[in-house]
mmCIF file of all heavy atoms in Angstrom:
data_model
loop_
_atom_site.group_PDB
_atom_site.id
_atom_site.type_symbol
_atom_site.label_atom_id
_atom_site.label_comp_id
_atom_site.label_asym_id
_atom_site.label_seq_id
_atom_site.Cartn_x
_atom_site.Cartn_y
_atom_site.Cartn_z
ATOM 1 N N ASN U 1 233.021 116.375 133.895
ATOM 2 C CA ASN U 1 233.285 116.072 132.476
ATOM 3 C C ASN U 1 233.222 114.588 132.226
ATOM 4 O O ASN U 1 233.710 113.771 133.017
ATOM 5 C CB ASN U 1 234.711 116.554 132.090
ATOM 6 C CG ASN U 1 234.766 118.095 132.027
ATOM 7 O OD1 ASN U 1 233.786 118.741 131.708
ATOM 8 N ND2 ASN U 1 235.950 118.655 132.318
ATOM 9 N N ILE U 2 232.593 114.240 131.100
ATOM 10 C CA ILE U 2 232.544 112.825 130.629
ATOM 11 C C ILE U 2 233.130 112.822 129.236
ATOM 12 O O ILE U 2 232.478 113.218 128.276
ATOM 13 C CB ILE U 2 231.100 112.279 130.630
ATOM 14 C CG1 ILE U 2 230.358 112.571 131.895
ATOM 15 C CG2 ILE U 2 231.126 110.770 130.369
ATOM 16 C CD1 ILE U 2 228.898 112.135 131.896
ATOM 17 N N SER U 3 234.318 112.373 129.137
ATOM 18 C CA SER U 3 235.063 112.412 127.880
ATOM 19 C C SER U 3 234.306 111.656 126.778
ATOM 20 O O SER U 3 233.931 110.471 126.952
ATOM 21 C CB SER U 3 236.460 111.776 128.049
ATOM 22 O OG SER U 3 237.114 111.770 126.820
ATOM 23 N N GLY U 4 234.017 112.336 125.695
ATOM 24 C CA GLY U 4 233.461 111.703 124.524
ATOM 25 C C GLY U 4 231.949 111.703 124.384
ATOM 26 O O GLY U 4 231.411 111.564 123.304
ATOM 27 N N ILE U 5 231.254 111.893 125.519
ATOM 28 C CA ILE U 5 229.783 111.798 125.424
ATOM 29 C C ILE U 5 229.043 112.984 126.007
ATOM 30 O O ILE U 5 227.811 113.035 125.992
ATOM 31 C CB ILE U 5 229.236 110.502 126.053
ATOM 32 C CG1 ILE U 5 229.463 110.512 127.582
ATOM 33 C CG2 ILE U 5 229.810 109.263 125.427
ATOM 34 C CD1 ILE U 5 228.688 109.397 128.275
ATOM 35 N N ASP U 6 229.766 113.980 126.505
ATOM 36 C CA ASP U 6 229.108 115.110 127.138
ATOM 37 C C ASP U 6 228.209 115.923 126.170
ATOM 38 O O ASP U 6 227.109 116.296 126.498
ATOM 39 C CB ASP U 6 230.095 116.046 127.868
ATOM 40 C CG ASP U 6 231.312 116.388 127.007
ATOM 41 O OD1 ASP U 6 231.335 115.932 125.836
ATOM 42 O OD2 ASP U 6 232.183 117.106 127.470
ATOM 43 N N GLU U 7 228.708 116.057 124.926
ATOM 44 C CA GLU U 7 227.902 116.792 123.936
ATOM 45 C C GLU U 7 226.670 115.980 123.549
ATOM 46 O O GLU U 7 225.609 116.575 123.292
ATOM 47 C CB GLU U 7 228.732 117.070 122.695
ATOM 48 C CG GLU U 7 229.833 118.129 122.934
ATOM 49 C CD GLU U 7 229.243 119.467 123.396
ATOM 50 O OE1 GLU U 7 228.145 119.880 122.880
ATOM 51 O OE2 GLU U 7 229.817 120.103 124.301
ATOM 52 N N MET U 8 226.786 114.661 123.502
ATOM 53 C CA MET U 8 225.634 113.824 123.180
ATOM 54 C C MET U 8 224.594 113.967 124.285
ATOM 55 O O MET U 8 223.369 114.067 123.997
ATOM 56 C CB MET U 8 226.051 112.394 123.036
ATOM 57 C CG MET U 8 224.909 111.413 122.624
ATOM 58 S SD MET U 8 223.965 110.783 124.015
ATOM 59 C CE MET U 8 225.175 109.730 124.818
ATOM 60 N N LEU U 9 225.015 113.959 125.568
ATOM 61 C CA LEU U 9 224.038 114.147 126.616
ATOM 62 C C LEU U 9 223.307 115.477 126.561
ATOM 63 O O LEU U 9 222.101 115.557 126.763
ATOM 64 C CB LEU U 9 224.757 113.995 127.972
ATOM 65 C CG LEU U 9 225.272 112.603 128.344
ATOM 66 C CD1 LEU U 9 225.951 112.660 129.723
ATOM 67 C CD2 LEU U 9 224.118 111.629 128.422
ATOM 68 N N LYS U 10 224.069 116.527 126.246
ATOM 69 C CA LYS U 10 223.463 117.846 126.085
ATOM 70 C C LYS U 10 222.386 117.828 125.026
ATOM 71 O O LYS U 10 221.294 118.365 125.194
ATOM 72 C CB LYS U 10 224.521 118.876 125.756
ATOM 73 C CG LYS U 10 225.456 119.320 126.872
ATOM 74 C CD LYS U 10 226.393 120.378 126.369
ATOM 75 C CE LYS U 10 227.342 120.857 127.452
ATOM 76 N NZ LYS U 10 228.315 121.865 126.945
ATOM 77 N N GLN U 11 222.707 117.209 123.887
ATOM 78 C CA GLN U 11 221.832 117.187 122.728
ATOM 79 C C GLN U 11 220.552 116.434 123.065
ATOM 80 O O GLN U 11 219.424 116.879 122.752
ATOM 81 C CB GLN U 11 222.526 116.547 121.558
ATOM 82 C CG GLN U 11 221.755 116.566 120.249
ATOM 83 C CD GLN U 11 221.566 118.020 119.713
ATOM 84 O OE1 GLN U 11 222.401 118.854 119.927
ATOM 85 N NE2 GLN U 11 220.451 118.259 119.062
ATOM 86 N N GLU U 12 220.678 115.287 123.737
ATOM 87 C CA GLU U 12 219.499 114.475 124.061
ATOM 88 C C GLU U 12 218.590 115.216 125.051
ATOM 89 O O GLU U 12 217.366 115.142 124.949
ATOM 90 C CB GLU U 12 219.907 113.146 124.648
ATOM 91 C CG GLU U 12 220.657 112.239 123.642
ATOM 92 C CD GLU U 12 219.860 111.851 122.421
ATOM 93 O OE1 GLU U 12 218.589 111.723 122.557
ATOM 94 O OE2 GLU U 12 220.448 111.721 121.336
ATOM 95 N N LEU U 13 219.161 115.899 126.027
ATOM 96 C CA LEU U 13 218.361 116.590 127.052
ATOM 97 C C LEU U 13 217.688 117.809 126.519
ATOM 98 O O LEU U 13 216.752 118.370 127.129
ATOM 99 C CB LEU U 13 219.215 116.919 128.259
ATOM 100 C CG LEU U 13 219.638 115.695 129.106
ATOM 101 C CD1 LEU U 13 220.625 116.087 130.142
ATOM 102 C CD2 LEU U 13 218.416 115.074 129.793
ATOM 103 N N LYS U 14 218.126 118.307 125.333
ATOM 104 C CA LYS U 14 217.457 119.517 124.757
ATOM 105 C C LYS U 14 215.996 119.190 124.416
ATOM 106 O O LYS U 14 215.195 120.112 124.358
ATOM 107 C CB LYS U 14 218.223 119.889 123.454
ATOM 108 C CG LYS U 14 219.409 120.768 123.706
ATOM 109 C CD LYS U 14 219.999 121.219 122.342
ATOM 110 C CE LYS U 14 221.197 122.135 122.566
ATOM 111 N NZ LYS U 14 221.803 122.590 121.283
ATOM 112 N N HIS U 15 215.693 117.887 124.180
ATOM 113 C CA HIS U 15 214.313 117.525 123.919
ATOM 114 C C HIS U 15 213.394 117.920 125.040
ATOM 115 O O HIS U 15 212.166 118.082 124.836
ATOM 116 C CB HIS U 15 214.228 116.050 123.642
ATOM 117 C CG HIS U 15 214.938 115.574 122.407
ATOM 118 N ND1 HIS U 15 214.508 115.901 121.125
ATOM 119 C CD2 HIS U 15 216.019 114.830 122.221
ATOM 120 C CE1 HIS U 15 215.314 115.366 120.257
ATOM 121 N NE2 HIS U 15 216.249 114.690 120.899
ATOM 122 N N PHE U 16 213.937 118.051 126.245
ATOM 123 C CA PHE U 16 213.134 118.355 127.401
ATOM 124 C C PHE U 16 213.476 119.750 127.997
ATOM 125 O O PHE U 16 213.122 120.042 129.158
ATOM 126 C CB PHE U 16 213.321 117.302 128.469
ATOM 127 C CG PHE U 16 212.996 115.890 127.982
ATOM 128 C CD1 PHE U 16 213.993 115.037 127.593
ATOM 129 C CD2 PHE U 16 211.688 115.479 127.853
ATOM 130 C CE1 PHE U 16 213.688 113.759 127.081
ATOM 131 C CE2 PHE U 16 211.372 114.217 127.373
ATOM 132 C CZ PHE U 16 212.384 113.364 126.975
ATOM 133 N N ASP U 17 214.212 120.526 127.210
ATOM 134 C CA ASP U 17 214.616 121.885 127.638
ATOM 135 C C ASP U 17 215.393 121.879 128.929
ATOM 136 O O ASP U 17 215.292 122.801 129.777
ATOM 137 C CB ASP U 17 213.314 122.787 127.808
ATOM 138 C CG ASP U 17 212.584 123.004 126.500
ATOM 139 O OD1 ASP U 17 213.261 123.146 125.462
ATOM 140 O OD2 ASP U 17 211.369 123.001 126.527
ATOM 141 N N VAL U 18 216.191 120.861 129.104
ATOM 142 C CA VAL U 18 217.076 120.732 130.292
ATOM 143 C C VAL U 18 218.499 121.000 129.839
ATOM 144 O O VAL U 18 218.999 120.379 128.874
ATOM 145 C CB VAL U 18 216.988 119.341 130.920
ATOM 146 C CG1 VAL U 18 217.992 119.186 132.072
ATOM 147 C CG2 VAL U 18 215.567 119.082 131.448
ATOM 148 N N ALA U 19 219.140 121.959 130.527
ATOM 149 C CA ALA U 19 220.536 122.299 130.170
ATOM 150 C C ALA U 19 221.480 121.816 131.243
ATOM 151 O O ALA U 19 221.232 121.964 132.422
ATOM 152 C CB ALA U 19 220.655 123.835 130.052
ATOM 153 N N VAL U 20 222.592 121.198 130.827
ATOM 154 C CA VAL U 20 223.593 120.673 131.714
ATOM 155 C C VAL U 20 224.927 121.295 131.388
ATOM 156 O O VAL U 20 225.336 121.318 130.229
ATOM 157 C CB VAL U 20 223.702 119.140 131.651
ATOM 158 C CG1 VAL U 20 224.790 118.624 132.543
ATOM 159 C CG2 VAL U 20 222.385 118.501 131.991
ATOM 160 N N LYS U 21 225.629 121.789 132.431
ATOM 161 C CA LYS U 21 227.015 122.316 132.195
ATOM 162 C C LYS U 21 227.988 121.206 132.648
ATOM 163 O O LYS U 21 227.713 120.488 133.573
ATOM 164 C CB LYS U 21 227.214 123.579 133.029
ATOM 165 C CG LYS U 21 226.247 124.700 132.720
ATOM 166 C CD LYS U 21 226.428 125.825 133.720
ATOM 167 C CE LYS U 21 225.376 126.888 133.542
ATOM 168 N NZ LYS U 21 225.436 127.960 134.603
ATOM 169 N N PHE U 22 229.115 121.131 131.971
ATOM 170 C CA PHE U 22 230.140 120.197 132.362
ATOM 171 C C PHE U 22 231.387 120.966 132.873
ATOM 172 O O PHE U 22 231.774 121.979 132.309
ATOM 173 C CB PHE U 22 230.486 119.272 131.162
ATOM 174 C CG PHE U 22 229.451 118.293 130.890
ATOM 175 C CD1 PHE U 22 228.381 118.636 130.049
ATOM 176 C CD2 PHE U 22 229.417 117.033 131.460
ATOM 177 C CE1 PHE U 22 227.372 117.704 129.734
ATOM 178 C CE2 PHE U 22 228.405 116.115 131.222
ATOM 179 C CZ PHE U 22 227.401 116.437 130.340
ATOM 180 N N ALA U 23 231.963 120.449 133.960
ATOM 181 C CA ALA U 23 233.091 121.091 134.582
ATOM 182 C C ALA U 23 234.119 120.063 135.068
ATOM 183 O O ALA U 23 233.794 118.924 135.258
ATOM 184 C CB ALA U 23 232.624 121.985 135.731
ATOM 185 N N ASP U 24 235.341 120.537 135.258
ATOM 186 C CA ASP U 24 236.440 119.675 135.760
ATOM 187 C C ASP U 24 236.242 119.541 137.247
ATOM 188 O O ASP U 24 236.153 120.548 137.986
ATOM 189 C CB ASP U 24 237.780 120.308 135.395
ATOM 190 C CG ASP U 24 238.935 119.388 135.747
ATOM 191 O OD1 ASP U 24 238.772 118.440 136.478
ATOM 192 O OD2 ASP U 24 240.025 119.638 135.176
ATOM 193 N N SER U 25 236.267 118.304 137.736
ATOM 194 C CA SER U 25 236.054 118.069 139.183
ATOM 195 C C SER U 25 237.178 118.686 140.004
ATOM 196 O O SER U 25 236.974 119.068 141.168
ATOM 197 C CB SER U 25 235.970 116.557 139.473
ATOM 198 O OG SER U 25 237.174 115.910 139.082
ATOM 199 N N GLN U 26 238.380 118.814 139.430
ATOM 200 C CA GLN U 26 239.491 119.401 140.203
ATOM 201 C C GLN U 26 239.248 120.848 140.532
ATOM 202 O O GLN U 26 239.787 121.409 141.503
ATOM 203 C CB GLN U 26 240.791 119.255 139.458
ATOM 204 C CG GLN U 26 241.269 117.810 139.329
ATOM 205 C CD GLN U 26 242.632 117.665 138.709
ATOM 206 O OE1 GLN U 26 243.235 118.644 138.310
ATOM 207 N NE2 GLN U 26 243.153 116.436 138.676
ATOM 208 N N ALA U 27 238.377 121.499 139.741
ATOM 209 C CA ALA U 27 238.086 122.896 139.936
ATOM 210 C C ALA U 27 236.782 123.132 140.703
ATOM 211 O O ALA U 27 236.446 124.263 141.049
ATOM 212 C CB ALA U 27 238.062 123.642 138.612
ATOM 213 N N GLU U 28 236.037 122.079 140.961
ATOM 214 C CA GLU U 28 234.723 122.205 141.626
ATOM 215 C C GLU U 28 234.625 121.174 142.763
ATOM 216 O O GLU U 28 234.430 120.035 142.536
ATOM 217 C CB GLU U 28 233.624 122.054 140.627
ATOM 218 C CG GLU U 28 232.195 122.097 141.221
ATOM 219 C CD GLU U 28 231.984 123.291 142.157
ATOM 220 O OE1 GLU U 28 231.833 124.406 141.623
ATOM 221 O OE2 GLU U 28 231.957 123.071 143.377
ATOM 222 N N GLU U 29 234.707 121.649 144.023
ATOM 223 C CA GLU U 29 234.778 120.749 145.122
ATOM 224 C C GLU U 29 233.462 120.031 145.355
ATOM 225 O O GLU U 29 233.452 118.896 145.811
ATOM 226 C CB GLU U 29 235.131 121.543 146.395
ATOM 227 C CG GLU U 29 236.609 121.928 146.441
ATOM 228 C CD GLU U 29 237.042 122.363 147.815
ATOM 229 O OE1 GLU U 29 236.208 123.061 148.528
ATOM 230 O OE2 GLU U 29 238.146 122.073 148.217
ATOM 231 N N LEU U 30 232.328 120.576 144.985
ATOM 232 C CA LEU U 30 231.079 119.866 145.195
ATOM 233 C C LEU U 30 230.881 118.732 144.181
ATOM 234 O O LEU U 30 230.140 117.778 144.448
ATOM 235 C CB LEU U 30 229.881 120.844 145.147
ATOM 236 C CG LEU U 30 229.804 121.802 146.367
ATOM 237 C CD1 LEU U 30 228.549 122.629 146.347
ATOM 238 C CD2 LEU U 30 229.981 121.084 147.688
ATOM 239 N N ILE U 31 231.552 118.800 143.062
ATOM 240 C CA ILE U 31 231.588 117.619 142.158
ATOM 241 C C ILE U 31 232.480 116.585 142.796
ATOM 242 O O ILE U 31 232.182 115.374 142.714
ATOM 243 C CB ILE U 31 232.169 118.030 140.742
ATOM 244 C CG1 ILE U 31 231.116 118.924 140.018
ATOM 245 C CG2 ILE U 31 232.477 116.789 139.937
ATOM 246 C CD1 ILE U 31 231.562 119.322 138.608
ATOM 247 N N GLN U 32 233.529 116.965 143.454
ATOM 248 C CA GLN U 32 234.359 115.991 144.208
ATOM 249 C C GLN U 32 233.546 115.300 145.231
ATOM 250 O O GLN U 32 233.656 114.091 145.452
ATOM 251 C CB GLN U 32 235.563 116.711 144.805
ATOM 252 C CG GLN U 32 236.523 117.318 143.796
ATOM 253 C CD GLN U 32 237.643 118.097 144.473
ATOM 254 O OE1 GLN U 32 238.059 117.776 145.619
ATOM 255 N NE2 GLN U 32 238.139 119.107 143.807
ATOM 256 N N LEU U 33 232.677 116.055 145.949
ATOM 257 C CA LEU U 33 231.838 115.488 146.964
ATOM 258 C C LEU U 33 230.833 114.485 146.347
ATOM 259 O O LEU U 33 230.611 113.381 146.850
ATOM 260 C CB LEU U 33 231.067 116.573 147.728
ATOM 261 C CG LEU U 33 230.062 116.132 148.764
ATOM 262 C CD1 LEU U 33 230.655 115.180 149.757
ATOM 263 C CD2 LEU U 33 229.432 117.332 149.446
#
């Protein structure tokens, strides 16, 4: 999760048909890694 700009990143990447999901690092160990 990136507070305040995650939706903006999603919107910009739509131009290239790239989808990004955002998740809490405490719930996803590979994000912690």
Side-chain angles (χ1 to χ4, degrees):
N1 287 330
I2 312 175
S3 178
I5 67 169
D6 48 1
E7 289 302 320
M8 184 275 291
L9 290 179
K10 286 182 181 179
Q11 187 65 32
E12 297 297 327
L13 289 171
K14 277 185 178 180
H15 294 291
F16 304 100
D17 297 321
V18 174
V20 178
K21 302 172 186 175
F22 288 87
D24 188 342
S25 62
Q26 292 187 356
E28 177 49 76
E29 287 194 324
L30 292 187
I31 290 181
Q32 296 176 30
L33 176 54

